[in-house]
Amino acid sequence: MMETKRILIDKNDIRDEDLLEAARILREGGLVAFPTETVYGLGANALDEEAAKKIYAAKGRPSDNPLIAHIASIDQVKPLVKEIPEAGRKLMEAYWPGPLTIIFWKSGIVPYGTTGGLDTVAIRMPSDRIANRMIALAGVPVAAPSANLSGRPSPTTADHVWEDMNGRIEMILDGGPVGIGVESTIVDVTEDVPVVLRPGAITMEMLKDLLGEVKIDPAITGPMRPDMHPKAPGMKYRHYAPKADMVLVELSDETREKLEDKEGAFVKEVEQRIADQAKCPSIRPEDYLLALEVDKLAEEAAGKGLKVGVICTDETRSEYVEDDGLFYAVRSMGIRAKEETIAHNLYRVLREFDDLGVDYIVSEGFSRTQLGQAIMNRLTKAAGHKIVKI
Ligand code: AMP
Ligand code: MG
């Protein structure tokens, strides 16, 4: 065990003197966890193979899972890559600094220890000002995956990092809770048509607007099969996983269609049930249907003696009643109508259920467009693709 230093940094008053030690640790081959706008990262000098190896050891992560090189300015890209294709240039101009990672062919100076043996390198320029200043002071690109133990939810506060990394790394920079809460979007520009390898806050819709044709890696849209070879090796691991078993409840296309006919018999029937039974009379029919099914599955499991956690939203929170005698914990992830609030709280709620020793989680599903795609990607992975459609 080494002693882990924790340094509190005020985002509105970032002083170089507070970051110089972190920069020195990085240059000398040590590990520093730092805030970014997406999740906390666990950084090491990206050009130092031995330093990169320490990241894998600290996380307990398989070493074929490549790291993302974080930079502080655009001129740091050129030395790391073979070429910058047109799509890469457009993406950098539009979304850097920001929550977007771009995959390029790597140059000779990037060690295979950083890229997990691949000939490509993942690069991102974070917008978080603490991250930016720390990387600039270090003077080297900083390789960083999320600062969690492998298999645990990504950390969105310095406390989460502390739980996982205390005693394993030299330093944690505490810049408060992160903004976005889910990892960066990853886009591969090494082929003719750009491919999204991981959805994030830069959405598919935004990418298509900018680039025209964009493909999506099949590992994102469905369960992994043994014959699939995802281009982002991280996709094959049971990532983002809570300790509990988990199931997601989603509306089927058929139900969605029926709900669209606002004057139809189906909607009228649901509205009648809401009038008769719902705790919140203004709840939307689609939200009520989800809450009813989630509550049913959760009650069944709690009745069998399992410790149950329910993930809901502010819109449905009032429909869940915590039963005496049964273990039935309910947490809202945020406001369904504002998906950025859901992304922001997602990993915190999963970690909270871990801490409570929950052994079965039932979660409401979300839209599969815009930011919903990133949210559902993380939730379906956490649930091991167990989805109930109603
Ligand atoms: P994390 O942000 O902690 O999930 O880790 C970085 C993610 O970036 C992993 O899922 C990797 O699989 C992905 N990644 C990093 N470098 C590459 C690369 N060269 N090609 C494809 N995916 C990559
Ligand atoms: Mg990760």
Side-chain angles (χ1 to χ4, degrees):
M1 283 268 285
M2 67 175 88
E3 197 184 326
T4 302
K5 253 196 180 177
R6 180 166 169 166
I7 296 188
L8 190 64
I9 304 201
D10 178 354
K11 273 204 161 74
N12 300 310
D13 183 18
I14 300 170
R15 294 160 192 241
D16 282 359
E17 66 221 50
D18 294 336
L19 295 173
L20 282 169
E21 194 181 350
R24 182 184 55 76
I25 293 169
L26 289 168
R27 268 196 311 275
E28 291 175 358
L31 302 182
V32 177
F34 60 101
T36 80
E37 69 275 29
T38 57
V39 300
Y40 271 76
L42 177 56
N45 179 353
L47 303 181
D48 175 347
E49 191 140 31
E50 291 308 311
K53 275 190 195 152
K54 289 186 195 162
I55 291 183
Y56 295 110
K59 280 182 66 92
R61 173 181 196 150
S63 60
D64 69 339
N65 194 351
L67 310 172
I68 295 170
H70 292 69
I71 56 171
S73 60
I74 295 272
D75 54 304
Q76 283 183 289
V77 178
K78 236 181 171 178
L80 302 177
V81 305
K82 266 208 175 123
E83 51 171 5
I84 300 179
E86 178 67 6
R89 193 188 52 73
K90 279 190 183 165
L91 287 168
M92 284 159 50
E93 264 173 27
Y95 293 116
W96 278 4
L100 176 75
T101 297
I102 308 174
I103 311 277
F104 300 96
W105 292 111
K106 81 174 193 70
S107 71
I109 68 163
V110 182
Y112 284 111
T114 298
T115 68
L118 298 173
D119 287 314
T120 52
V121 58
I123 307 180
R124 176 163 107 80
M125 183 160 122
S127 64
D128 182 278
R129 287 166 50 231
I130 298 172
N132 181 277
R133 193 64 196 146
M134 180 200 76
I135 299 164
L137 289 172
V140 291
V142 174
S146 50
N148 52 285
L149 286 174
S150 191
R152 291 215 68 197
S154 294
T156 55
T157 65
D159 283 344
H160 295 165
V161 180
W162 185 260
E163 275 168 35
D164 284 13
M165 292 296 157
N166 182 25
R168 294 172 163 259
I169 64 177
E170 277 83 359
M171 182 177 277
I172 298 173
L173 299 178
D174 178 352
V178 301
I180 294 171
V182 292
E183 302 84 349
S184 58
T185 306
I186 303 182
V187 182
D188 183 343
V189 297
T190 61
E191 289 174 31
D192 290 341
V193 179
V195 187
V196 173
L197 306 186
R198 176 171 76 187
I202 306 299
T203 64
M204 198 67 186
E205 290 83 352
M206 292 157 81
L207 295 170
K208 282 186 173 157
D209 268 355
L210 182 76
L211 302 173
E213 195 186 353
V214 179
K215 288 196 278 198
I216 186 150
D217 193 90
I220 292 170
T221 41
M224 274 298 297
R225 295 186 314 265
D227 58 320
M228 279 193 197
H229 301 282
K231 289 208 62 181
M235 286 291 182
K236 71 178 179 241
Y237 299 107
R238 186 172 178 255
H239 237 183
Y240 324 118
K243 289 174 187 158
D245 265 342
M246 177 164 161
V247 64
L248 259 173
V249 179
E250 207 181 9
L251 296 180
S252 65
D253 291 343
E254 200 191 337
T255 305
R256 278 179 208 280
E257 251 170 55
K258 284 196 281 182
L259 284 164
E260 262 165 37
D261 182 5
K262 302 274 181 241
E263 301 306 316
F266 182 74
V267 170
K268 293 286 167 214
E269 195 188 301
V270 180
E271 282 173 352
Q272 191 56 52
R273 283 177 78 182
I274 291 173
D276 294 343
Q277 298 166 15
K279 306 276 182 312
C280 168
S282 62
I283 190 169
R284 296 188 317 164
E286 50 268 55
D287 296 344
Y288 189 60
L289 288 176
L290 269 185
L292 279 182
E293 183 67 19
V294 168
D295 184 58
K296 192 188 97 189
L297 293 174
E299 292 257 347
E300 274 170 21
K304 288 185 199 148
L306 292 175
K307 290 179 162 186
V308 176
V310 162
I311 297 179
C312 68
T313 53
D314 287 5
E315 283 90 336
T316 54
R317 178 64 188 84
S318 58
E319 304 308 314
Y320 299 93
V321 183
E322 289 171 27
D323 233 294
D324 346 306
L326 298 180
F327 190 104
Y328 184 106
V330 183
R331 296 289 180 275
S332 169
M333 271 205 317
I335 304 164
R336 176 179 294 279
K338 290 190 186 145
E339 281 183 331
E340 64 278 11
T341 65
I342 308 287
H344 182 78
N345 293 316
L346 193 152
Y347 288 129
R348 182 181 56 74
V349 171
L350 291 182
R351 271 187 184 255
E352 205 180 325
F353 283 156
D354 275 357
D355 296 343
L356 285 172
V358 161
D359 34 42
Y360 192 67
I361 298 173
V362 191
S363 175
E364 295 178 10
F366 294 86
S367 76
R368 287 183 181 261
T369 58
Q370 316 259 11
L371 186 56
Q373 188 174 38
I375 294 167
M376 284 299 275
N377 172 255
R378 299 337 185 252
L379 287 176
T380 50
K381 274 172 174 290
H385 292 274
K386 286 188 291 297
I387 299 179
V388 171
K389 293 226 184 203
I390 54 162

